[in-house]
């Protein structure tokens, strides 16, 4: 199966793209290029629609990874008539939802800079998110974390992706903050997210270009989820 060009990787702000259908099966629709981000790294897959040349519109209710690193499956509404291979389409994401996910995902990277500890899990949600930290003997202050996050947001740091070679990452293990999920290696290079002067770690997700775009947030709850887990829950204030 040919690889899909991942347009979101170079431009997280792309809302649509033209493409051709390269395959369909009971799992979903494959395109030769896409703006749809597939579920991964704690970030949900995009939803949206495929606009076909014959005038039909197929609602996409989820996007997931397929069999290879660049294999993306666009999951249609159950019962949808699938397009023919070779058909031209315009792929369009639900931008408002994606942008909220981008804002929250970037905010969770800021949380990694504010709370020093290994990350044991996390989830990017629509308007909310969480990270779990291995901090068994640490008291966490909800108000102090909220204040520090909003300070970093208001400072409007630049946010940009960059790449690092596999061997460079191996020589800098401190860049990997997640205990449960390791960044994908074996392709020769790994994508990093660099928040200027604040945080640098592997991430393949979609993000805003400056922290000021996140908007005000608050820590809504800090939970004890076991011997090694402290869960910090965030939400947007607007």
């Amino acid at each position: 199966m040919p690889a899909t060009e991942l347009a979101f990787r170079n431009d997280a702000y792309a809302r649509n793209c033209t493409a051709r259908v390269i395959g369909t099966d009971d799992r979903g629709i494959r395109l030769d290029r896409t703006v749809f981000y597939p579920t991964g790294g704690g970030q949900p897959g995009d939803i949206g629609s495929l606009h076909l040349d014959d005038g039909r519109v197929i609602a996409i209710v989820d996007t997931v990874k397929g069999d290879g690193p660049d294999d993306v499956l666009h999951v249609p509404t159950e019962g949808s008539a699938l397009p023919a291979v070779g058909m031209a389409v315009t792929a369009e994401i639900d931008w408002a939802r994606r942008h909220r996910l981008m804002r929250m995902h970037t905010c969770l990277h800021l949380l990694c800079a504010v709370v020093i500890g290994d990350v044991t899990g996390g989830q990017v949600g629509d308007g909310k998110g969480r990270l779990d930290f291995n901090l068994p003997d640490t008291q966490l202050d909800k108000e102090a974390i909220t204040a520090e996050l909003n300070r970093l947001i208001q400072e409007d740091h630049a946010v940009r992706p960059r790449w690092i070679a596999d061997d460079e990452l191996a020589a800098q293990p401190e860049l990997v903050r997640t205990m449960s999920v390791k960044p994908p290696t074996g392709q020769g290079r790994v994508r990093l997210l660099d928040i200027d002067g604040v945080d640098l770690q592997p991430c393949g997700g979609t993000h805003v270009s400056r922290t000021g775009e996140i908007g005000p947030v608050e820590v809504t709850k800090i939970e004890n989820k076991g011997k090694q887990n402290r869960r910090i829950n965030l939400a947007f204030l607007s």
Side-chain angles (χ1 to χ4, degrees):
M1 181 63 63
T4 297
E5 178 189 340
L6 307 180
F8 61 80
R9 184 169 284 170
N10 297 319
D11 182 7
Y13 289 84
R15 305 182 186 196
N16 56 66
C17 71
T18 56
R20 287 197 178 274
V21 178
I22 58 174
T24 63
D25 58 31
D26 58 0
R27 294 182 294 168
I29 301 165
R30 292 178 170 90
L31 306 176
D32 63 352
R33 64 193 303 260
T34 189
V35 290
F36 281 72
Y37 178 83
T39 301
Q43 180 174 327
D46 282 321
I47 62 174
S49 54
L50 301 183
H51 298 256
L52 281 56
D53 266 7
D54 62 8
R56 287 185 293 147
V57 178
I58 299 175
I60 300 301
V61 297
D62 197 6
T63 310
V64 297
K65 294 179 180 178
D67 301 325
D70 293 339
D71 185 19
V72 176
L73 292 164
H74 305 77
V75 181
T77 303
E78 188 174 354
S80 297
L82 298 179
V85 172
M87 182 173 282
V89 305
T90 298
E92 184 170 352
I93 60 173
D94 179 335
W95 169 248
R97 175 180 179 271
R98 156 73 86 75
H99 191 237
R100 290 191 296 270
L101 295 173
M102 288 165 59
R103 290 164 57 205
M104 181 53 66
H105 199 160
T106 306
C107 189
L108 292 180
H109 280 254
L110 294 182
L111 183 60
C112 276
V114 171
V115 179
I116 306 304
D118 291 327
V119 176
T120 57
Q123 183 64 50
V124 181
D126 187 349
K128 60 184 179 180
R130 65 168 175 84
L131 284 181
D132 298 346
F133 291 90
N134 178 23
L135 295 168
D137 301 315
T138 304
Q139 294 296 316
L140 298 171
D141 186 317
K142 187 166 68 170
E143 285 71 28
I145 296 171
T146 293
E148 186 64 8
L149 285 173
N150 284 301
R151 181 184 70 81
L152 292 172
I153 289 167
Q154 291 164 10
E155 286 177 350
D156 200 27
H157 297 266
V159 181
R160 60 180 67 88
R162 61 186 179 90
W163 295 84
I164 189 171
D166 284 355
D167 56 354
E168 291 180 275
L169 182 62
Q172 301 178 72
E174 68 278 3
L175 292 179
V176 180
R177 296 285 302 279
T178 53
M179 295 175 66
S180 56
V181 179
K182 299 303 179 186
T185 56
Q187 304 296 314
R189 61 178 190 162
V190 173
R191 189 173 184 265
L192 303 179
L193 187 77
D194 186 358
I195 302 179
D196 190 28
V198 178
D199 187 63
L200 177 66
Q201 60 177 296
C203 185
T206 59
H207 296 272
V208 293
S209 61
R210 303 195 67 87
T211 62
E213 199 171 329
I214 296 169
V217 300
E218 67 172 342
V219 176
T220 56
K221 185 188 299 185
I222 297 177
E223 303 174 87
N224 183 343
K225 303 299 287 187
K227 185 179 292 187
Q228 290 187 297
N229 276 336
R230 298 295 179 271
R231 176 168 295 175
I232 302 176
N233 298 275
L234 305 179
F236 294 138
L237 287 175
S238 61

